[in-house]
C-alpha cells in the first residue's frame, strides 16, 4: 500500500491549497463550499471504512494516516466535486456509476480499489458519480481548458474543524497526514524563530 501513501499526500496538497480559516459551524468536521460534513457523518463513514478494511484483511496502519483523516479528505473531495458538477450542470447516469463501481482498478478488485482511494461502502456511489462527472468535465475542457477548470474548482473553499489540528501545508511521503498537531506546529515554529535570532 506504499502507493496509497503517495496518493494521500498528493490529494492532501490539493486540499491544503483550498483550505482556509473561517468560523466553523457547531458539530461540523468540515464545511466545503455550501455543504457541511457533520462529525456524526464522519464517524459513521470512518467506522464503515474500517469495517470494509477488516473484511478485506487490510491493515489500516498501512494507510500512513489516521482513518478519520483519510475519510474526511475523501468526503471533502466528493462534496467539492458534487458542487462543481452542479454549477457546470454535469449529468451522470446510474449505468455510468455502476460501471465505475465495477472497475477493478490498480488492485484488480473493485472494493479494494475503492478502499485504496479512501472510499467506504457508505459513499461509494456518490464517489463514483463525482469521479465520472469530473472526468467528463476534464475531457470536455481539453488541454487548453484544464487550468481554467482548476481555478474555478479552487473557488469552492474547504474549512476543517480546528480540533483536528492545522492543515499540513507540505504533505510528503514521510508525513502524508492531512493535519499536524497545532501545539507541535507552534512549538516548531517558535524554535525555528529562536534559531534564526541566534544565527
Amino acid at each position: 500500500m506504499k502507493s496509497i501513501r503517495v496518493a494521500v499526500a498528493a490529494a492532501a496538497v490539493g486540499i491544503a491549497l483550498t483550505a482556509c480559516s473561517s468560523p466553523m459551524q457547531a458539530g461540523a468536521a468540515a464545511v466545503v463550499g455550501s455543504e457541511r460534513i457533520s462529525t456524526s457523518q464522519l464517524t459513521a463513514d470512518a467506522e464503515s471504512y474500517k469495517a470494509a478494511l477488516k473484511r478485506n484483511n487490510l491493515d489500516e496502519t498501512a494507510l500512513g494516516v489516521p482513518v478519520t483523516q483519510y475519510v474526511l479528505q475523501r468526503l471533502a473531495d466528493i462534496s467539492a466535486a458534487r458542487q462543481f458538477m452542479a454549477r457546470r450542470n454535469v449529468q451522470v447516469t446510474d449505468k455510468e456509476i455502476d460501471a465505475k463501481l465495477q472497475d477493478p482498478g490498480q488492485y484488480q478488485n473493485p472494493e479494494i480499489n475503492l478502499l485504496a482511494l479512501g472510499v467506504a461502502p457508505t459513499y461509494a456511489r456518490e464517489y463514483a458519480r463525482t469521479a465520472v462527472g469530473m472526468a467528463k468535465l476534464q475531457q470536455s475542457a481539453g488541454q487548453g481548458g484544464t487550468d481554467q477548470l482548476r481555478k474555478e474548482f479552487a473557488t469552492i473553499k474547504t474549512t476543517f474543524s480546528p480540533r483536528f489540528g492545522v492543515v499540513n501545508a507540505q504533505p510528503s511521503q514521510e508525513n502524508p497526514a492531512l493535519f499536524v498537531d497545532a501545539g507541535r506546529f507552534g512549538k516548531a515554529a517558535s524554535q525555528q524563530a529562536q534559531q534564526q535570532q541566534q544565527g
Side-chain angles (χ1 to χ4, degrees), residues 158-185:
T158 300
T159 306
F160 295 101
S161 170
R163 75 174 167 278
F164 293 109
V166 294
V167 173
N168 183 1
Q170 295 182 313
S172 61
Q173 191 165 349
E174 293 74 34
N175 183 17
L178 178 56
F179 304 100
V180 291
D181 182 272
R184 277 185 287 161
F185 180 78

PDB file of all heavy atoms in Angstrom, residues 158-185:
ATOM      1  N   THR A 158     -12.678  24.987   1.355  1.00  0.00           N
ATOM      2  CA  THR A 158     -12.867  23.984   2.397  1.00  0.00           C
ATOM      3  C   THR A 158     -12.312  24.509   3.713  1.00  0.00           C
ATOM      4  O   THR A 158     -11.179  24.993   3.756  1.00  0.00           O
ATOM      5  CB  THR A 158     -12.154  22.665   2.033  1.00  0.00           C
ATOM      6  OG1 THR A 158     -12.697  22.164   0.818  1.00  0.00           O
ATOM      7  CG2 THR A 158     -12.319  21.624   3.129  1.00  0.00           C
ATOM      8  N   THR A 159     -13.109  24.419   4.770  1.00  0.00           N
ATOM      9  CA  THR A 159     -12.662  24.800   6.105  1.00  0.00           C
ATOM     10  C   THR A 159     -12.828  23.590   7.017  1.00  0.00           C
ATOM     11  O   THR A 159     -13.928  23.058   7.137  1.00  0.00           O
ATOM     12  CB  THR A 159     -13.510  25.969   6.660  1.00  0.00           C
ATOM     13  OG1 THR A 159     -13.485  27.034   5.714  1.00  0.00           O
ATOM     14  CG2 THR A 159     -12.955  26.455   7.983  1.00  0.00           C
ATOM     15  N   PHE A 160     -11.723  23.143   7.610  1.00  0.00           N
ATOM     16  CA  PHE A 160     -11.770  21.995   8.523  1.00  0.00           C
ATOM     17  C   PHE A 160     -11.883  22.476   9.956  1.00  0.00           C
ATOM     18  O   PHE A 160     -11.396  23.544  10.304  1.00  0.00           O
ATOM     19  CB  PHE A 160     -10.512  21.140   8.357  1.00  0.00           C
ATOM     20  CG  PHE A 160     -10.394  20.494   7.010  1.00  0.00           C
ATOM     21  CD1 PHE A 160      -9.562  21.029   6.046  1.00  0.00           C
ATOM     22  CD2 PHE A 160     -11.126  19.364   6.696  1.00  0.00           C
ATOM     23  CE1 PHE A 160      -9.460  20.443   4.789  1.00  0.00           C
ATOM     24  CE2 PHE A 160     -11.027  18.771   5.448  1.00  0.00           C
ATOM     25  CZ  PHE A 160     -10.189  19.319   4.487  1.00  0.00           C
ATOM     26  N   SER A 161     -12.494  21.657  10.793  1.00  0.00           N
ATOM     27  CA  SER A 161     -12.603  21.974  12.206  1.00  0.00           C
ATOM     28  C   SER A 161     -11.206  22.064  12.814  1.00  0.00           C
ATOM     29  O   SER A 161     -10.377  21.177  12.597  1.00  0.00           O
ATOM     30  CB  SER A 161     -13.410  20.891  12.934  1.00  0.00           C
ATOM     31  OG  SER A 161     -13.320  21.091  14.321  1.00  0.00           O
ATOM     32  N   PRO A 162     -10.929  23.118  13.593  1.00  0.00           N
ATOM     33  CA  PRO A 162      -9.596  23.273  14.195  1.00  0.00           C
ATOM     34  C   PRO A 162      -9.252  22.175  15.195  1.00  0.00           C
ATOM     35  O   PRO A 162      -8.094  22.011  15.553  1.00  0.00           O
ATOM     36  CB  PRO A 162      -9.658  24.647  14.864  1.00  0.00           C
ATOM     37  CG  PRO A 162     -11.108  24.964  14.999  1.00  0.00           C
ATOM     38  CD  PRO A 162     -11.819  24.231  13.909  1.00  0.00           C
ATOM     39  N   ARG A 163     -10.240  21.397  15.625  1.00  0.00           N
ATOM     40  CA  ARG A 163      -9.934  20.346  16.606  1.00  0.00           C
ATOM     41  C   ARG A 163      -9.053  19.238  16.017  1.00  0.00           C
ATOM     42  O   ARG A 163      -8.473  18.452  16.748  1.00  0.00           O
ATOM     43  CB  ARG A 163     -11.215  19.752  17.198  1.00  0.00           C
ATOM     44  CG  ARG A 163     -11.960  18.818  16.299  1.00  0.00           C
ATOM     45  CD  ARG A 163     -13.133  18.184  17.033  1.00  0.00           C
ATOM     46  NE  ARG A 163     -14.017  17.525  16.109  1.00  0.00           N
ATOM     47  CZ  ARG A 163     -14.953  18.119  15.402  1.00  0.00           C
ATOM     48  NH1 ARG A 163     -15.149  19.400  15.511  1.00  0.00           N
ATOM     49  NH2 ARG A 163     -15.717  17.449  14.575  1.00  0.00           N
ATOM     50  N   PHE A 164      -8.962  19.177  14.678  1.00  0.00           N
ATOM     51  CA  PHE A 164      -8.096  18.171  14.053  1.00  0.00           C
ATOM     52  C   PHE A 164      -6.640  18.611  14.062  1.00  0.00           C
ATOM     53  O   PHE A 164      -5.753  17.823  13.806  1.00  0.00           O
ATOM     54  CB  PHE A 164      -8.536  17.912  12.604  1.00  0.00           C
ATOM     55  CG  PHE A 164      -9.876  17.251  12.489  1.00  0.00           C
ATOM     56  CD1 PHE A 164     -10.969  17.961  12.013  1.00  0.00           C
ATOM     57  CD2 PHE A 164     -10.064  15.928  12.855  1.00  0.00           C
ATOM     58  CE1 PHE A 164     -12.217  17.356  11.903  1.00  0.00           C
ATOM     59  CE2 PHE A 164     -11.308  15.322  12.755  1.00  0.00           C
ATOM     60  CZ  PHE A 164     -12.386  16.039  12.282  1.00  0.00           C
ATOM     61  N   GLY A 165      -6.396  19.889  14.333  1.00  0.00           N
ATOM     62  CA  GLY A 165      -5.053  20.440  14.242  1.00  0.00           C
ATOM     63  C   GLY A 165      -5.040  21.464  13.114  1.00  0.00           C
ATOM     64  O   GLY A 165      -6.067  22.032  12.777  1.00  0.00           O
ATOM     65  N   VAL A 166      -3.867  21.695  12.540  1.00  0.00           N
ATOM     66  CA  VAL A 166      -3.767  22.625  11.416  1.00  0.00           C
ATOM     67  C   VAL A 166      -3.492  21.826  10.148  1.00  0.00           C
ATOM     68  O   VAL A 166      -2.880  20.757  10.196  1.00  0.00           O
ATOM     69  CB  VAL A 166      -2.672  23.697  11.639  1.00  0.00           C
ATOM     70  CG1 VAL A 166      -3.036  24.614  12.793  1.00  0.00           C
ATOM     71  CG2 VAL A 166      -1.317  23.063  11.885  1.00  0.00           C
ATOM     72  N   VAL A 167      -3.943  22.359   9.009  1.00  0.00           N
ATOM     73  CA  VAL A 167      -3.746  21.660   7.738  1.00  0.00           C
ATOM     74  C   VAL A 167      -2.256  21.555   7.456  1.00  0.00           C
ATOM     75  O   VAL A 167      -1.507  22.529   7.600  1.00  0.00           O
ATOM     76  CB  VAL A 167      -4.478  22.391   6.589  1.00  0.00           C
ATOM     77  CG1 VAL A 167      -4.139  21.760   5.241  1.00  0.00           C
ATOM     78  CG2 VAL A 167      -5.985  22.336   6.807  1.00  0.00           C
ATOM     79  N   ASN A 168      -1.819  20.371   7.079  1.00  0.00           N
ATOM     80  CA  ASN A 168      -0.423  20.110   6.724  1.00  0.00           C
ATOM     81  C   ASN A 168      -0.183  20.715   5.340  1.00  0.00           C
ATOM     82  O   ASN A 168      -0.584  20.149   4.336  1.00  0.00           O
ATOM     83  CB  ASN A 168      -0.177  18.593   6.724  1.00  0.00           C
ATOM     84  CG  ASN A 168       1.269  18.243   6.436  1.00  0.00           C
ATOM     85  OD1 ASN A 168       2.113  19.109   6.251  1.00  0.00           O
ATOM     86  ND2 ASN A 168       1.555  16.952   6.405  1.00  0.00           N
ATOM     87  N   ALA A 169       0.459  21.878   5.297  1.00  0.00           N
ATOM     88  CA  ALA A 169       0.649  22.601   4.038  1.00  0.00           C
ATOM     89  C   ALA A 169       1.670  21.935   3.127  1.00  0.00           C
ATOM     90  O   ALA A 169       1.696  22.203   1.928  1.00  0.00           O
ATOM     91  CB  ALA A 169       1.063  24.041   4.324  1.00  0.00           C
ATOM     92  N   GLN A 170       2.515  21.058   3.689  1.00  0.00           N
ATOM     93  CA  GLN A 170       3.532  20.401   2.875  1.00  0.00           C
ATOM     94  C   GLN A 170       3.562  18.898   3.148  1.00  0.00           C
ATOM     95  O   GLN A 170       4.532  18.366   3.693  1.00  0.00           O
ATOM     96  CB  GLN A 170       4.909  21.011   3.156  1.00  0.00           C
ATOM     97  CG  GLN A 170       5.008  22.464   2.722  1.00  0.00           C
ATOM     98  CD  GLN A 170       6.382  23.034   2.971  1.00  0.00           C
ATOM     99  OE1 GLN A 170       6.957  22.861   4.046  1.00  0.00           O
ATOM    100  NE2 GLN A 170       6.917  23.721   1.979  1.00  0.00           N
ATOM    101  N   PRO A 171       2.485  18.197   2.763  1.00  0.00           N
ATOM    102  CA  PRO A 171       2.486  16.749   2.985  1.00  0.00           C
ATOM    103  C   PRO A 171       3.563  16.076   2.146  1.00  0.00           C
ATOM    104  O   PRO A 171       3.892  16.539   1.058  1.00  0.00           O
ATOM    105  CB  PRO A 171       1.083  16.319   2.550  1.00  0.00           C
ATOM    106  CG  PRO A 171       0.608  17.405   1.654  1.00  0.00           C
ATOM    107  CD  PRO A 171       1.284  18.663   2.084  1.00  0.00           C
ATOM    108  N   SER A 172       4.103  15.008   2.687  1.00  0.00           N
ATOM    109  CA  SER A 172       5.157  14.270   1.983  1.00  0.00           C
ATOM    110  C   SER A 172       4.940  12.793   2.239  1.00  0.00           C
ATOM    111  O   SER A 172       4.061  12.406   3.013  1.00  0.00           O
ATOM    112  CB  SER A 172       6.524  14.692   2.526  1.00  0.00           C
ATOM    113  OG  SER A 172       6.604  14.379   3.910  1.00  0.00           O
ATOM    114  N   GLN A 173       5.769  11.972   1.628  1.00  0.00           N
ATOM    115  CA  GLN A 173       5.650  10.534   1.859  1.00  0.00           C
ATOM    116  C   GLN A 173       5.976  10.210   3.319  1.00  0.00           C
ATOM    117  O   GLN A 173       5.387   9.322   3.910  1.00  0.00           O
ATOM    118  CB  GLN A 173       6.579   9.766   0.929  1.00  0.00           C
ATOM    119  CG  GLN A 173       6.297   8.275   0.937  1.00  0.00           C
ATOM    120  CD  GLN A 173       6.944   7.546  -0.223  1.00  0.00           C
ATOM    121  OE1 GLN A 173       7.434   8.156  -1.150  1.00  0.00           O
ATOM    122  NE2 GLN A 173       6.943   6.234  -0.165  1.00  0.00           N
ATOM    123  N   GLU A 174       6.892  10.991   3.910  1.00  0.00           N
ATOM    124  CA  GLU A 174       7.264  10.780   5.308  1.00  0.00           C
ATOM    125  C   GLU A 174       6.147  11.233   6.248  1.00  0.00           C
ATOM    126  O   GLU A 174       5.914  10.647   7.289  1.00  0.00           O
ATOM    127  CB  GLU A 174       8.555  11.543   5.658  1.00  0.00           C
ATOM    128  CG  GLU A 174       9.799  11.016   4.953  1.00  0.00           C
ATOM    129  CD  GLU A 174       9.869  11.363   3.473  1.00  0.00           C
ATOM    130  OE1 GLU A 174       9.394  12.463   3.084  1.00  0.00           O
ATOM    131  OE2 GLU A 174      10.340  10.524   2.691  1.00  0.00           O
ATOM    132  N   ASN A 175       5.463  12.327   5.904  1.00  0.00           N
ATOM    133  CA  ASN A 175       4.373  12.848   6.728  1.00  0.00           C
ATOM    134  C   ASN A 175       3.183  13.205   5.835  1.00  0.00           C
ATOM    135  O   ASN A 175       2.969  14.369   5.506  1.00  0.00           O
ATOM    136  CB  ASN A 175       4.836  14.076   7.525  1.00  0.00           C
ATOM    137  CG  ASN A 175       3.729  14.589   8.440  1.00  0.00           C
ATOM    138  OD1 ASN A 175       2.765  13.889   8.723  1.00  0.00           O
ATOM    139  ND2 ASN A 175       3.868  15.817   8.898  1.00  0.00           N
ATOM    140  N   PRO A 176       2.413  12.174   5.406  1.00  0.00           N
ATOM    141  CA  PRO A 176       1.303  12.412   4.482  1.00  0.00           C
ATOM    142  C   PRO A 176       0.019  12.893   5.153  1.00  0.00           C
ATOM    143  O   PRO A 176      -0.982  13.121   4.491  1.00  0.00           O
ATOM    144  CB  PRO A 176       1.089  11.030   3.857  1.00  0.00           C
ATOM    145  CG  PRO A 176       1.470  10.078   4.947  1.00  0.00           C
ATOM    146  CD  PRO A 176       2.598  10.750   5.694  1.00  0.00           C
ATOM    147  N   ALA A 177       0.043  13.054   6.476  1.00  0.00           N
ATOM    148  CA  ALA A 177      -1.173  13.407   7.211  1.00  0.00           C
ATOM    149  C   ALA A 177      -1.792  14.702   6.690  1.00  0.00           C
ATOM    150  O   ALA A 177      -1.093  15.629   6.292  1.00  0.00           O
ATOM    151  CB  ALA A 177      -0.860  13.541   8.697  1.00  0.00           C
ATOM    152  N   LEU A 178      -3.105  14.737   6.696  1.00  0.00           N
ATOM    153  CA  LEU A 178      -3.844  15.924   6.276  1.00  0.00           C
ATOM    154  C   LEU A 178      -3.666  17.051   7.289  1.00  0.00           C
ATOM    155  O   LEU A 178      -3.644  18.219   6.942  1.00  0.00           O
ATOM    156  CB  LEU A 178      -5.334  15.571   6.116  1.00  0.00           C
ATOM    157  CG  LEU A 178      -6.297  16.689   5.719  1.00  0.00           C
ATOM    158  CD1 LEU A 178      -5.853  17.361   4.424  1.00  0.00           C
ATOM    159  CD2 LEU A 178      -7.706  16.140   5.575  1.00  0.00           C
ATOM    160  N   PHE A 179      -3.502  16.666   8.574  1.00  0.00           N
ATOM    161  CA  PHE A 179      -3.346  17.656   9.645  1.00  0.00           C
ATOM    162  C   PHE A 179      -2.083  17.390  10.442  1.00  0.00           C
ATOM    163  O   PHE A 179      -1.623  16.261  10.508  1.00  0.00           O
ATOM    164  CB  PHE A 179      -4.540  17.597  10.608  1.00  0.00           C
ATOM    165  CG  PHE A 179      -5.867  17.788   9.935  1.00  0.00           C
ATOM    166  CD1 PHE A 179      -6.667  16.695   9.627  1.00  0.00           C
ATOM    167  CD2 PHE A 179      -6.318  19.055   9.599  1.00  0.00           C
ATOM    168  CE1 PHE A 179      -7.885  16.860   8.994  1.00  0.00           C
ATOM    169  CE2 PHE A 179      -7.536  19.228   8.968  1.00  0.00           C
ATOM    170  CZ  PHE A 179      -8.321  18.138   8.663  1.00  0.00           C
ATOM    171  N   VAL A 180      -1.551  18.455  11.041  1.00  0.00           N
ATOM    172  CA  VAL A 180      -0.463  18.300  12.006  1.00  0.00           C
ATOM    173  C   VAL A 180      -0.935  18.915  13.314  1.00  0.00           C
ATOM    174  O   VAL A 180      -1.792  19.794  13.321  1.00  0.00           O
ATOM    175  CB  VAL A 180       0.856  18.969  11.524  1.00  0.00           C
ATOM    176  CG1 VAL A 180       1.444  18.218  10.356  1.00  0.00           C
ATOM    177  CG2 VAL A 180       0.643  20.432  11.172  1.00  0.00           C
ATOM    178  N   ASP A 181      -0.382  18.454  14.401  1.00  0.00           N
ATOM    179  CA  ASP A 181      -0.772  18.934  15.722  1.00  0.00           C
ATOM    180  C   ASP A 181      -0.446  20.424  15.851  1.00  0.00           C
ATOM    181  O   ASP A 181       0.680  20.847  15.627  1.00  0.00           O
ATOM    182  CB  ASP A 181      -0.012  18.128  16.783  1.00  0.00           C
ATOM    183  CG  ASP A 181      -0.403  18.549  18.186  1.00  0.00           C
ATOM    184  OD1 ASP A 181       0.237  19.487  18.700  1.00  0.00           O
ATOM    185  OD2 ASP A 181      -1.343  17.963  18.742  1.00  0.00           O
ATOM    186  N   ALA A 182      -1.440  21.208  16.194  1.00  0.00           N
ATOM    187  CA  ALA A 182      -1.270  22.663  16.278  1.00  0.00           C
ATOM    188  C   ALA A 182      -0.222  23.035  17.318  1.00  0.00           C
ATOM    189  O   ALA A 182       0.566  23.959  17.116  1.00  0.00           O
ATOM    190  CB  ALA A 182      -2.602  23.327  16.605  1.00  0.00           C
ATOM    191  N   GLY A 183      -0.182  22.303  18.446  1.00  0.00           N
ATOM    192  CA  GLY A 183       0.790  22.569  19.502  1.00  0.00           C
ATOM    193  C   GLY A 183       2.210  22.346  19.029  1.00  0.00           C
ATOM    194  O   GLY A 183       3.077  23.197  19.180  1.00  0.00           O
ATOM    195  N   ARG A 184       2.443  21.196  18.417  1.00  0.00           N
ATOM    196  CA  ARG A 184       3.788  20.883  17.933  1.00  0.00           C
ATOM    197  C   ARG A 184       4.191  21.831  16.808  1.00  0.00           C
ATOM    198  O   ARG A 184       5.321  22.240  16.689  1.00  0.00           O
ATOM    199  CB  ARG A 184       3.873  19.430  17.457  1.00  0.00           C
ATOM    200  CG  ARG A 184       4.105  18.464  18.606  1.00  0.00           C
ATOM    201  CD  ARG A 184       4.308  17.073  18.115  1.00  0.00           C
ATOM    202  NE  ARG A 184       3.024  16.546  17.654  1.00  0.00           N
ATOM    203  CZ  ARG A 184       2.899  15.519  16.841  1.00  0.00           C
ATOM    204  NH1 ARG A 184       3.952  14.919  16.373  1.00  0.00           N
ATOM    205  NH2 ARG A 184       1.715  15.078  16.475  1.00  0.00           N
ATOM    206  N   PHE A 185       3.212  22.168  15.947  1.00  0.00           N
ATOM    207  CA  PHE A 185       3.489  23.077  14.836  1.00  0.00           C
ATOM    208  C   PHE A 185       3.943  24.430  15.386  1.00  0.00           C
ATOM    209  O   PHE A 185       4.930  24.994  14.950  1.00  0.00           O
ATOM    210  CB  PHE A 185       2.233  23.246  13.973  1.00  0.00           C
ATOM    211  CG  PHE A 185       2.438  24.171  12.806  1.00  0.00           C
ATOM    212  CD1 PHE A 185       3.109  23.742  11.674  1.00  0.00           C
ATOM    213  CD2 PHE A 185       1.972  25.473  12.848  1.00  0.00           C
ATOM    214  CE1 PHE A 185       3.302  24.591  10.599  1.00  0.00           C
ATOM    215  CE2 PHE A 185       2.162  26.328  11.773  1.00  0.00           C
ATOM    216  CZ  PHE A 185       2.829  25.883  10.653  1.00  0.00           C
TER     217      PHE A 185
END
